[in-house]
Amino acid sequence: MRRTASSRAAVPAAFVFALMLAGCGQPAGPPSPGTAAATDPVTTVTAPSVTTPVTPGPTPTSDGTPSATGATTPSEAWTTYTTADGQLTFDLPAAWSVTDPAGELPEGGGAFAEIRNQAGKPLATLRTNMATGSTCMERHPYSVLDSQELPALTQNGLTPRFVFESRGSAKDPGPANTPGAAYGIATGPAPTGDTACPIFHFFTWPPTAAMFGAFYNPANNVTPGDPSSPYLEKAERYAGTDEYRDIKRMITSLRPAG
């Protein structure tokens, strides 16, 4: 039986990555340097389960490993998931799974959905009803690997954007004890200039704020190429994979239910 619960938490910017990581079930520290848009039809389901594929097509690799071309097998069949509170809907590959660990949180409402690929690796977490705050105590070199506005999620005249971005460089590795790249939805303004504050992937959503994204983690996000490559180099390569394109399509499909 599904249970709903609150996901409220005060989150200073310095701990944004730790919060996101906890939601995705990943370790609290950064991954080790040596760690290794389509138009398909969809069908609709509601929490807590996802339907079987609606369109026959190539089966994704069972272990999520790269194909011979250096990219994961594209997802052909897609399905639609509606959160347990009935407020939000998003599309995802039918081979992926959605779980709702909301029972682990204090009561109070909101949505909590964790998305894993067919190999069981966590790829993103959706949480709503969050209280957030940020203070920019340090700035680092940054790179925006991908970005797209999401007008369906506009609130109070503010349109959030999907973004895959990184912090740090070879000379300045970025914030201590955090990975240097993440994808998700942000309402705040895009960084300008040569440096940026720590990544803060939260967007305005009633009654407070929400998040939908994750760290880039080579242990979860299948990346072709030399596994001993620097972390940020692997993040750039990942932005060209089929798995990343599926993740982007999933996150950018988020919209109000109904």
Side-chain angles (χ1 to χ4, degrees):
M1 181 178 295
R2 187 179 184 108
R3 294 175 292 176
T4 59
S6 169
S7 52
R8 298 183 62 89
V11 187
F15 297 98
V16 168
F17 274 123
L19 173 62
M20 291 178 63
L21 207 53
C24 290
Q26 302 176 24
S32 167
T35 306
T39 58
D40 310 305
V42 297
T43 187
T44 302
V45 299
T46 55
S49 62
V50 176
T51 61
T52 55
V54 297
T55 303
T59 301
T61 52
S62 60
D63 59 357
T65 54
S67 67
T69 60
T72 53
T73 304
S75 298
E76 297 294 335
W78 282 66
T79 185
T80 298
Y81 180 89
T82 299
T83 56
D85 62 1
Q87 298 301 306
L88 289 167
T89 291
F90 61 90
D91 306 325
L92 73 158
W96 294 2
S97 63
V98 183
T99 58
D100 176 12
E104 302 172 7
L105 301 173
E107 292 295 332
F112 190 174
E114 182 181 70
I115 298 88
R116 293 176 177 264
N117 65 12
Q118 59 270 32
K121 300 292 187 179
L123 297 181
T125 296
L126 169 66
R127 292 178 63 178
T128 66
N129 198 25
M130 305 185 73
T132 65
S134 65
T135 302
C136 187
M137 302 297 293
E138 55 184 6
R139 300 179 67 89
H140 297 273
Y142 73 94
S143 177
V144 176
L145 305 176
D146 198 2
S147 182
Q148 177 181 324
E149 287 196 345
L150 304 178
L153 300 177
T154 298
Q155 295 287 317
N156 302 319
L158 298 176
T159 299
R161 69 191 188 283
F162 166 84
V163 61
F164 183 19
E165 59 184 330
S166 66
R167 294 292 185 273
S169 66
K171 294 182 179 180
D172 181 351
N177 300 320
T178 64
Y183 46 81
I185 302 176
T187 292
T192 58
D194 297 328
T195 60
C197 298
I199 294 174
F200 194 70
H201 284 173
F202 291 90
F203 62 99
T204 302
W205 189 256
T208 49
M211 62 168 285
F212 192 15
F215 287 124
Y216 165 69
N217 185 339
N220 296 328
N221 304 103
V222 178
T223 307
D226 185 352
S228 65
S229 300
Y231 171 83
L232 293 177
E233 181 180 316
K234 288 189 283 189
E236 292 178 2
R237 286 204 307 268
Y238 185 68
T241 64
D242 289 319
E243 182 179 88
Y244 169 74
R245 284 187 283 270
D246 283 346
I247 289 173
K248 178 182 177 180
R249 177 182 171 185
M250 175 182 70
I251 294 177
T252 58
S253 74
L254 186 69
R255 57 200 182 273

